[in-house]
Amino acid sequence: MAAYRAMWRDAAEASRTSDPKHPRLDDHAKGNALSLLRYMMEQNHKRGATGKGAASVAPIVVKSSKTKVELQDCVDGSKWVQAKPSSSSAGISGGRYRSEATVVFASGKWWVSELYNGEAGSCMD
């Protein structure tokens, strides 16, 4: 689903500065999904970490209707590296984790409204 993929691209872009108010975060996410993305950025900002690269996604439709789609994914964050500017290391890459999302059609556009991300290693593939 395009909105889901775009939401992850927006998150990767926002992670470059770890700005929870980054203007792209609400381009494709709202509600719980937007809150989670902002929380992720806040936590990285508190740690002084920023992101490089992006997550790879391959969502699978679990259930769909005319205005709502439920997705499952195993997000691969291995090329989405979190690093601190003062760190001498290259950074920590993310793992593979289960993601569940609800995408809804509202106000003439598809939005990710619900998002759940499990811990690294939580994929069931």
Side-chain angles (χ1 to χ4, degrees), residues 15 18 39-50 82:
S15 77
S18 294
Y39 176 78
M40 290 166 49
M41 297 307 140
E42 287 171 3
Q43 294 306 304
N44 285 342
H45 183 76
K46 285 178 185 177
R47 291 191 339 260
T50 57
Q82 302 296 311

Side-chain angles (χ1 to χ4, degrees), residues 4-5 15 21 34 37 39 55 59 77 85 90-91 104 119 124:
Y4 175 80
R5 292 177 187 279
S15 77
K21 295 182 181 176
L34 179 58
L37 294 177
Y39 176 78
V104 296
E119 297 292 322
M124 303 298 273

Side-chain angles (χ1 to χ4, degrees), residues 7-67:
M7 178 204 67
W8 282 110
R9 286 191 300 272
D10 297 342
E13 182 61 32
S15 77
R16 311 263 184 285
T17 59
S18 294
D19 179 3
K21 295 182 181 176
H22 193 283
R24 283 188 51 186
L25 284 178
D26 64 359
D27 284 358
H28 299 95
K30 67 179 190 172
N32 164 272
L34 179 58
S35 295
L36 179 58
L37 294 177
R38 286 188 171 151
Y39 176 78
M40 290 166 49
M41 297 307 140
E42 287 171 3
Q43 294 306 304
N44 285 342
H45 183 76
K46 285 178 185 177
R47 291 191 339 260
T50 57
K52 295 179 184 177
S56 295
V57 298
I60 297 169
V61 175
V62 176
K63 189 175 179 182
S64 68
S65 70
K66 226 175 182 181
T67 58

Side-chain angles (χ1 to χ4, degrees), residues 2 22-23 32 71 77 102 106 109-110:
H22 193 283
N32 164 272
L71 304 171
T102 300
K109 180 178 175 178
W110 287 97

